[in-house]
Amino acid sequence: FSEMLQGVVLRCRYQHKHLANMTGATTKSVANWLSGQNLPAADHLITLMREEDEIFFAVLAMAERLPEGLTEEQRFHLLQALKLLQEKK
């Protein structure tokens, strides 16, 4: 998880403080996630998944809930369907 999160941080040029503000975690917690010492608490992970598609799909893959071999277009359509479901709540 930490390697994937590091990739998101580099790609998006996030600072620890930005992730902390986004999730409500402390900057120390974020540093621990990035170093692999700890994983985010459920509420922080859900926020990360909501904000970053890469994290969303990585968590689905880790939970073995993501069909293998999805194309980018299929991922896009899956995200759109999930967003529609969220809106109907």
Side-chain angles (χ1 to χ4, degrees):
F1 182 84
S2 67
E3 290 176 4
M4 181 269 309
L5 186 57
Q6 289 172 15
V8 170
V9 166
L10 288 174
R11 182 177 48 79
C12 298
R13 297 184 178 155
Y14 287 152
Q15 301 292 320
H16 291 193
K17 188 173 182 177
H18 176 78
L19 286 175
N21 289 338
M22 178 194 309
T23 61
T26 65
T27 54
K28 174 80 171 150
S29 292
V30 171
N32 287 337
W33 304 341
L34 290 166
S35 71
Q37 289 182 319
N38 294 324
L39 292 171
D43 57 333
H44 300 146
L45 181 59
I46 290 168
T47 301
L48 289 168
M49 291 173 68
R50 184 181 316 120
E51 297 296 325
E52 289 295 331
D53 294 345
E54 187 176 340
I55 295 172
F56 174 79
F57 283 113
V59 171
L60 286 182
M62 285 186 264
E64 298 178 1
R65 302 295 290 180
L66 183 64
E68 291 185 26
L70 285 181
T71 65
E72 287 301 315
E73 182 179 0
Q74 289 169 324
R75 285 178 181 231
F76 173 79
H77 290 297
L78 177 59
L79 276 175
Q80 294 306 310
L82 290 170
K83 287 177 183 175
L84 284 173
L85 288 172
Q86 276 295 95
E87 290 173 3
K88 294 193 183 242
K89 282 187 173 181

